[in-house]
Protein backbone atom coordinates (compact mmCIF):
# COMPACT_ATOMS: atom_id res chain seq x y z
CA UNK A 1 0.00 0.00 0.00
CA UNK A 2 1.43 3.39 -0.92
CA UNK A 3 -1.70 5.47 -0.31
CA UNK A 4 -1.90 6.95 3.18
CA UNK A 5 -5.12 6.30 5.06
CA UNK A 6 -6.76 8.60 7.59
CA UNK A 7 -5.11 7.64 10.87
CA UNK A 8 -7.21 8.55 13.92
CA UNK A 9 -4.88 6.75 16.33
CA UNK A 10 -4.45 8.24 19.80
CA UNK A 11 -0.72 7.64 19.71
CA UNK A 12 1.71 6.94 18.25
CA UNK A 13 -0.18 9.12 15.86
CA UNK A 14 -0.11 10.73 12.45
CA UNK A 15 2.94 12.88 11.67
CA UNK A 16 3.14 15.69 9.10
CA UNK A 17 3.78 14.34 5.60
CA UNK A 18 6.49 16.98 4.85
CA UNK A 19 8.34 15.82 7.96
CA UNK A 20 8.15 12.17 6.91
CA UNK A 21 9.28 13.11 3.42
CA UNK A 22 12.29 15.04 4.67
CA UNK A 23 13.25 12.22 7.02
CA UNK A 24 12.87 9.77 4.14
CA UNK A 25 14.98 11.91 1.82
CA UNK A 26 17.76 12.13 4.40
CA UNK A 27 17.42 8.60 5.69
CA UNK A 28 20.62 7.29 4.12
CA UNK A 29 22.67 10.40 4.50
CA UNK A 30 22.06 13.70 6.23
CA UNK A 31 23.13 16.41 3.79
CA UNK A 32 26.89 16.83 3.98
CA UNK A 33 27.27 14.15 6.64
CA UNK A 34 27.26 10.86 4.73
CA UNK A 35 25.49 8.99 7.52
CA UNK A 36 21.92 8.79 8.72
CA UNK A 37 20.88 10.52 11.90
CA UNK A 38 20.59 7.09 13.54
CA UNK A 39 24.24 6.33 12.88
CA UNK A 40 25.94 9.43 14.26
CA UNK A 41 27.26 10.02 17.74
CA UNK A 42 25.02 11.91 20.11
CA UNK A 43 28.18 13.86 20.96
CA UNK A 44 28.88 14.90 17.35
CA UNK A 45 28.67 18.47 16.04
CA UNK A 46 25.86 17.36 13.74
CA UNK A 47 23.76 16.12 16.61
CA UNK A 48 24.58 19.20 18.69
CA UNK A 49 22.90 21.24 16.00
CA UNK A 50 19.88 18.96 15.87
CA UNK A 51 19.21 19.01 19.62
CA UNK A 52 19.85 22.76 19.78
CA UNK A 53 17.42 23.18 16.86
CA UNK A 54 14.72 21.16 18.60
CA UNK A 55 15.19 23.15 21.78
CA UNK A 56 15.15 26.51 19.99
CA UNK A 57 12.08 25.47 18.02
CA UNK A 58 10.16 24.54 21.15
CA UNK A 59 11.29 27.70 22.93
CA UNK A 60 10.04 29.86 20.11
CA UNK A 61 6.76 28.02 19.53
CA UNK A 62 5.76 27.75 23.19
CA UNK A 63 7.31 31.08 24.26
CA UNK A 64 9.50 29.38 26.85
CA UNK A 65 11.48 31.99 28.81
CA UNK A 66 15.22 31.66 29.51
CA UNK A 67 14.69 30.61 33.11
CA UNK A 68 13.15 27.32 31.99
CA UNK A 69 15.18 24.24 31.01
CA UNK A 70 14.16 21.90 28.22
CA UNK A 71 14.96 18.20 28.53
CA UNK A 72 14.56 15.26 26.16
CA UNK A 73 14.24 12.15 28.29
CA UNK A 74 13.11 8.55 27.89
CA UNK A 75 10.68 6.31 29.73
CA UNK A 76 7.57 8.02 28.41
CA UNK A 77 5.22 10.31 30.26
CA UNK A 78 4.68 7.26 32.48
CA UNK A 79 8.16 7.57 33.97
CA UNK A 80 7.40 11.21 34.75
CA UNK A 81 4.50 10.00 36.92
CA UNK A 82 7.27 8.73 39.24
CA UNK A 83 10.17 11.05 38.49
CA UNK A 84 8.19 14.23 39.17
CA UNK A 85 7.23 13.29 42.74
CA UNK A 86 10.64 11.71 43.42
CA UNK A 87 12.24 15.07 42.65
CA UNK A 88 9.63 17.48 43.95
CA UNK A 89 7.43 15.80 46.55
CA UNK A 90 9.23 15.66 49.90
CA UNK A 91 8.45 12.53 51.92
CA UNK A 92 6.95 14.69 54.67
CA UNK A 93 5.20 17.03 52.24
CA UNK A 94 2.05 16.90 50.18
CA UNK A 95 1.15 17.54 46.55
CA UNK A 96 -2.24 18.40 45.07
CA UNK A 97 -3.56 16.25 42.24
CA UNK A 98 -6.60 17.26 40.20
CA UNK A 99 -8.00 14.18 38.50
CA UNK A 100 -9.93 14.67 35.28
CA UNK A 101 -9.37 11.25 33.73
CA UNK A 102 -7.46 7.99 33.48
CA UNK A 103 -3.95 9.42 33.03
CA UNK A 104 -4.25 11.70 36.04
CA UNK A 105 -5.26 8.65 38.06
CA UNK A 106 -2.10 6.87 36.99
CA UNK A 107 0.03 9.88 37.91
CA UNK A 108 -1.65 9.99 41.33
CA UNK A 109 -0.98 6.30 41.95
CA UNK A 110 2.78 6.79 41.55
CA UNK A 111 2.89 10.01 43.60
CA UNK A 112 1.27 8.19 46.53
CA UNK A 113 4.30 5.91 46.67
CA UNK A 114 6.56 8.89 47.25
CA UNK A 115 4.78 11.19 49.70
CA UNK A 116 1.51 12.70 50.77
CA UNK A 117 -1.08 13.62 48.20
CA UNK A 118 -4.27 15.60 48.41
CA UNK A 119 -6.80 14.86 45.70
CA UNK A 120 -7.86 18.45 45.19
CA UNK A 121 -10.67 17.41 42.85
CA UNK A 122 -11.72 14.12 41.32
CA UNK A 123 -14.12 14.17 38.41
CA UNK A 124 -14.62 10.40 38.30
CA UNK A 125 -18.34 10.72 39.11
CA UNK A 126 -20.16 10.77 35.82
CA UNK A 127 -17.22 9.10 34.10
CA UNK A 128 -14.80 12.00 33.67
CA UNK A 129 -16.78 14.34 31.47
CA UNK A 130 -15.52 17.74 32.62
CA UNK A 131 -12.92 19.75 34.51
CA UNK A 132 -13.75 21.12 37.97
CA UNK A 133 -15.02 24.65 38.54
CA UNK A 134 -12.86 26.83 40.79
CA UNK A 135 -15.11 26.24 43.80
CA UNK A 136 -14.84 22.47 43.35
CA UNK A 137 -11.06 22.48 43.77
CA UNK A 138 -9.82 21.98 47.29
CA UNK A 139 -6.24 23.26 47.16
CA UNK A 140 -3.67 23.10 49.92
CA UNK A 141 -1.73 26.37 50.06
CA UNK A 142 1.28 24.47 51.47
CA UNK A 143 1.35 21.92 48.62
CA UNK A 144 4.68 21.17 46.94
CA UNK A 145 2.92 21.49 43.58
CA UNK A 146 -0.45 21.09 41.87
CA UNK A 147 -0.62 18.45 39.14
CA UNK A 148 -3.11 18.51 36.27
CA UNK A 149 -3.49 16.62 33.00
CA UNK A 150 -4.12 19.30 30.39
CA UNK A 151 -5.86 16.89 28.04
CA UNK A 152 -7.16 13.49 29.10
CA UNK A 153 -6.52 11.43 25.99
CA UNK A 154 -8.86 8.57 26.85
CA UNK A 155 -11.92 10.56 27.90
CA UNK A 156 -11.36 13.56 25.60
CA UNK A 157 -11.51 16.14 28.40
CA UNK A 158 -9.34 19.25 28.11
CA UNK A 159 -8.67 22.23 30.34
CA UNK A 160 -9.48 25.45 28.48
CA UNK A 161 -7.71 27.67 31.01
CA UNK A 162 -5.28 26.93 33.80
CA UNK A 163 -6.73 26.58 37.29
CA UNK A 164 -5.72 29.38 39.62
CA UNK A 165 -3.24 27.81 42.02
CA UNK A 166 -1.86 30.94 43.66
CA UNK A 167 1.84 30.70 44.41
CA UNK A 168 2.01 26.90 44.40
CA UNK A 169 3.91 25.61 41.32
CA UNK A 170 1.60 24.24 38.63
CA UNK A 171 2.79 20.99 36.99
CA UNK A 172 1.12 19.49 33.94
CA UNK A 173 1.10 16.33 31.91
CA UNK A 174 0.51 17.81 28.46
CA UNK A 175 1.23 14.65 26.48
CA UNK A 176 -1.78 14.85 24.23
CA UNK A 177 -2.21 18.55 23.58
CA UNK A 178 1.26 20.06 23.70
CA UNK A 179 1.88 22.32 20.69
CA UNK A 180 -1.81 22.20 19.73
CA UNK A 181 -2.55 25.72 20.99
CA UNK A 182 -0.83 28.66 22.66
CA UNK A 183 -0.27 28.42 26.40
CA UNK A 184 0.70 30.99 29.03
CA UNK A 185 4.00 29.27 29.83
CA UNK A 186 4.69 31.46 32.85
CA UNK A 187 1.70 29.90 34.64
CA UNK A 188 3.47 26.54 34.64
CA UNK A 189 6.51 25.52 36.66
CA UNK A 190 6.86 22.15 34.93
CA UNK A 191 5.33 20.50 31.87
CA UNK A 192 6.02 17.02 30.60
CA UNK A 193 4.81 15.27 27.49
CA UNK A 194 5.49 12.08 25.59
CA UNK A 195 6.32 12.97 22.00
CA UNK A 196 4.19 10.45 20.18
CA UNK A 197 1.07 12.54 19.60
CA UNK A 198 1.97 16.04 18.49
CA UNK A 199 5.76 16.08 18.41
CA UNK A 200 7.34 12.97 16.97
CA UNK A 201 7.80 9.25 17.53
CA UNK A 202 7.48 7.43 20.84
CA UNK A 203 10.59 7.00 22.94
CA UNK A 204 11.30 10.62 23.74
CA UNK A 205 9.67 12.66 26.48
CA UNK A 206 9.85 16.42 26.69
CA UNK A 207 10.24 18.03 30.11
CA UNK A 208 10.15 21.80 30.52
CA UNK A 209 10.98 22.98 34.01
CA UNK A 210 11.62 26.27 35.75
CA UNK A 211 15.14 26.76 37.08
CA UNK A 212 14.20 27.54 40.66
CA UNK A 213 12.71 24.06 41.09
CA UNK A 214 16.14 22.49 40.83
CA UNK A 215 17.07 23.59 44.34
CA UNK A 216 14.25 21.51 45.74
CA UNK A 217 15.60 18.22 44.46
CA UNK A 218 16.77 15.99 47.32
CA UNK A 219 20.25 14.50 47.42
CA UNK A 220 20.72 10.81 46.81
CA UNK A 221 18.32 10.16 43.94
CA UNK A 222 19.40 7.61 41.39
CA UNK A 223 21.45 9.44 38.78
CA UNK A 224 19.10 8.79 35.87
CA UNK A 225 16.02 9.75 37.90
CA UNK A 226 17.45 13.08 39.04
CA UNK A 227 16.46 16.07 36.89
CA UNK A 228 19.74 17.77 37.82
CA UNK A 229 21.67 15.10 35.92
CA UNK A 230 19.82 15.87 32.73
CA UNK A 231 19.93 19.64 33.18
CA UNK A 232 23.68 19.61 33.85
CA UNK A 233 24.32 17.41 30.83
CA UNK A 234 21.87 19.01 28.39
CA UNK A 235 19.96 15.74 28.06
CA UNK A 236 23.17 14.00 27.01
CA UNK A 237 24.16 12.23 30.23
CA UNK A 238 23.41 8.96 28.49
CA UNK A 239 22.45 8.25 24.88
CA UNK A 240 19.17 9.98 24.15
CA UNK A 241 16.66 9.04 21.49
CA UNK A 242 18.57 10.80 18.74
CA UNK A 243 16.06 9.87 16.05
CA UNK A 244 13.15 11.16 18.12
CA UNK A 245 14.85 14.48 18.81
CA UNK A 246 15.63 14.84 15.09
CA UNK A 247 11.95 14.37 14.23
CA UNK A 248 10.90 16.88 16.92
CA UNK A 249 13.26 19.40 15.31
CA UNK A 250 11.59 18.82 11.93
CA UNK A 251 8.09 19.02 13.44
CA UNK A 252 8.95 22.37 15.04
CA UNK A 253 10.13 23.70 11.68
CA UNK A 254 6.90 22.46 10.08
CA UNK A 255 4.86 24.21 12.79
CA UNK A 256 6.76 27.46 12.33
CA UNK A 257 6.20 27.31 8.56
CA UNK A 258 2.49 26.89 9.21
CA UNK A 259 2.37 30.05 11.30
CA UNK A 260 3.12 28.69 14.75
CA UNK A 261 0.72 27.77 17.50
CA UNK A 262 -1.80 30.54 16.84
CA UNK A 263 -2.40 29.13 13.37
CA UNK A 264 -2.40 25.58 14.71
CA UNK A 265 -4.92 26.49 17.38
CA UNK A 266 -7.25 27.95 14.74
CA UNK A 267 -6.99 24.83 12.60
CA UNK A 268 -7.57 22.53 15.57
CA UNK A 269 -10.61 24.54 16.68
CA UNK A 270 -12.06 24.32 13.20
CA UNK A 271 -11.36 20.62 12.73
CA UNK A 272 -12.81 19.64 16.08
CA UNK A 273 -15.83 21.91 15.59
CA UNK A 274 -16.72 20.05 12.38
CA UNK A 275 -16.94 16.83 14.35
CA UNK A 276 -18.66 18.21 17.44
CA UNK A 277 -21.23 20.01 15.26
CA UNK A 278 -22.00 16.68 13.59
CA UNK A 279 -22.38 14.99 16.97
CA UNK A 280 -24.53 17.80 18.39
CA UNK A 281 -26.81 17.78 15.34
CA UNK A 282 -27.66 14.11 15.82
CA UNK A 283 -29.38 12.13 18.54
CA UNK A 284 -27.77 8.95 17.24
CA UNK A 285 -24.30 10.07 18.35
CA UNK A 286 -23.74 11.19 21.95
CA UNK A 287 -20.68 13.21 22.87
CA UNK A 288 -18.86 12.06 26.01
CA UNK A 289 -17.38 15.28 27.42
CA UNK A 290 -19.29 18.40 28.43
CA UNK A 291 -19.25 21.07 25.73
CA UNK A 292 -17.00 23.47 27.66
CA UNK A 293 -14.32 20.84 28.35
CA UNK A 294 -14.31 18.81 25.20
CA UNK A 295 -10.98 18.16 23.65
CA UNK A 296 -9.81 19.56 20.34
CA UNK A 297 -7.46 16.56 20.10
CA UNK A 298 -9.48 13.47 21.11
CA UNK A 299 -13.15 13.57 20.18
CA UNK A 300 -15.00 10.90 22.17
CA UNK A 301 -18.57 9.78 21.57
CA UNK A 302 -20.98 6.88 21.80
CA UNK A 303 -23.49 5.21 19.54
CA UNK A 304 -26.80 3.73 20.74
CA UNK A 305 -25.25 0.30 21.39
CA UNK A 306 -21.92 -1.46 21.61
CA UNK A 307 -22.92 -3.63 18.68
CA UNK A 308 -23.38 -0.53 16.55
CA UNK A 309 -20.04 0.85 17.75
CA UNK A 310 -18.36 -2.34 16.63
CA UNK A 311 -20.03 -2.16 13.26
CA UNK A 312 -19.11 1.52 12.99
CA UNK A 313 -15.39 1.00 13.57
CA UNK A 314 -15.28 -2.07 11.30
CA UNK A 315 -16.96 -0.25 8.41
CA UNK A 316 -14.91 2.90 8.97
CA UNK A 317 -11.68 0.90 8.90
CA UNK A 318 -12.74 -0.72 5.64
CA UNK A 319 -13.14 2.79 4.19
CA UNK A 320 -9.66 3.93 5.25
CA UNK A 321 -10.73 5.64 8.49
CA UNK A 322 -8.47 3.85 10.91
CA UNK A 323 -8.03 3.85 14.70
CA UNK A 324 -11.49 5.03 15.78
CA UNK A 325 -12.12 2.46 18.47
CA UNK A 326 -12.28 4.06 21.91
CA UNK A 327 -9.74 3.10 24.57
CA UNK A 328 -10.33 -0.42 25.89
CA UNK A 329 -11.14 0.99 29.34
CA UNK A 330 -14.09 3.17 28.25
CA UNK A 331 -15.28 1.87 24.87
CA UNK A 332 -17.14 4.02 22.40
CA UNK A 333 -15.53 5.95 19.58
CA UNK A 334 -12.48 8.17 19.82
CA UNK A 335 -11.30 10.25 16.89
CA UNK A 336 -7.84 11.59 17.63
CA UNK A 337 -7.20 14.56 15.39
CA UNK A 338 -3.79 15.90 16.35
CA UNK A 339 -1.96 18.76 14.62
CA UNK A 340 -0.86 16.65 11.66
CA UNK A 341 -4.29 15.12 11.07
CA UNK A 342 -5.71 16.60 7.84
CA UNK A 343 -9.00 18.46 7.73
CA UNK A 344 -10.09 16.27 4.79
CA UNK A 345 -9.92 13.29 7.13
CA UNK A 346 -12.33 14.97 9.53
CA UNK A 347 -14.66 15.79 6.64
CA UNK A 348 -14.47 12.18 5.48
CA UNK A 349 -15.40 10.99 8.98
CA UNK A 350 -18.34 13.39 9.18
CA UNK A 351 -19.67 12.11 5.84
CA UNK A 352 -19.19 8.55 6.98
CA UNK A 353 -21.06 9.28 10.23
CA UNK A 354 -24.03 10.78 8.38
CA UNK A 355 -24.22 7.84 6.03
CA UNK A 356 -23.87 5.35 8.88
CA UNK A 357 -26.68 7.02 10.82
CA UNK A 358 -28.91 7.03 7.73
CA UNK A 359 -28.43 3.28 7.34
CA UNK A 360 -28.53 2.29 11.01
CA UNK A 361 -30.36 5.06 12.85
N1 LIG B 1 -0.35 10.93 29.82
C1 LIG B 1 -1.21 11.10 28.81
C2 LIG B 1 -2.13 12.29 28.85
C3 LIG B 1 -1.21 10.20 27.74
O1 LIG B 1 -2.07 10.36 26.74
C4 LIG B 1 -0.33 9.11 27.75
C5 LIG B 1 -0.24 8.11 26.62
N2 LIG B 1 -1.30 7.94 25.84
C6 LIG B 1 0.53 8.95 28.85
C7 LIG B 1 0.51 9.89 29.85
C8 LIG B 1 1.50 7.81 28.93
O2 LIG B 1 2.50 8.07 28.04
P1 LIG B 1 3.66 7.06 27.69
O3 LIG B 1 3.06 5.93 26.95
O4 LIG B 1 4.57 7.93 26.85
O5 LIG B 1 4.31 6.65 28.96
Amino acid sequence: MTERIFNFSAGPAVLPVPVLEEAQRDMLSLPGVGMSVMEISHRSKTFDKIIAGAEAGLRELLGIPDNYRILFLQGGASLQFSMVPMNFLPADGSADYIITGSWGKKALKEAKKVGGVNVAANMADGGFTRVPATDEINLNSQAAYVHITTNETIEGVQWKAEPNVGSVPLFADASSDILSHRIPMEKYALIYAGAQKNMGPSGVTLVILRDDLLQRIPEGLHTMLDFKTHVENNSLYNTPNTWGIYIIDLVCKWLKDKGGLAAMERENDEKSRLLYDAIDASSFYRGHADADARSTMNVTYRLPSEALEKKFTAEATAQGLDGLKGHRSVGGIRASIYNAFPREGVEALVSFMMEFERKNG
Side-chain angles (χ1 to χ4, degrees), residues 207-227:
V207 179
I208 305 165
L209 78 171
R210 212 172 56 204
D211 266 348
D212 59 278
L213 292 175
L214 296 169
Q215 311 159 20
R216 302 186 179 203
I217 300 173
E219 290 304 316
L221 287 180
H222 284 258
T223 309
M224 276 296 286
L225 301 177
D226 186 331
F227 282 120

Side-chain angles (χ1 to χ4, degrees), residues 62-63 68 161-162 170 181-188 191:
L62 286 163
Y68 286 74
E162 292 68 24
L170 179 63
H181 63 109
R182 293 163 297 174
I183 54 166
M185 190 64 222
E186 66 290 347
K187 289 197 176 171
Y188 294 93
I191 292 178

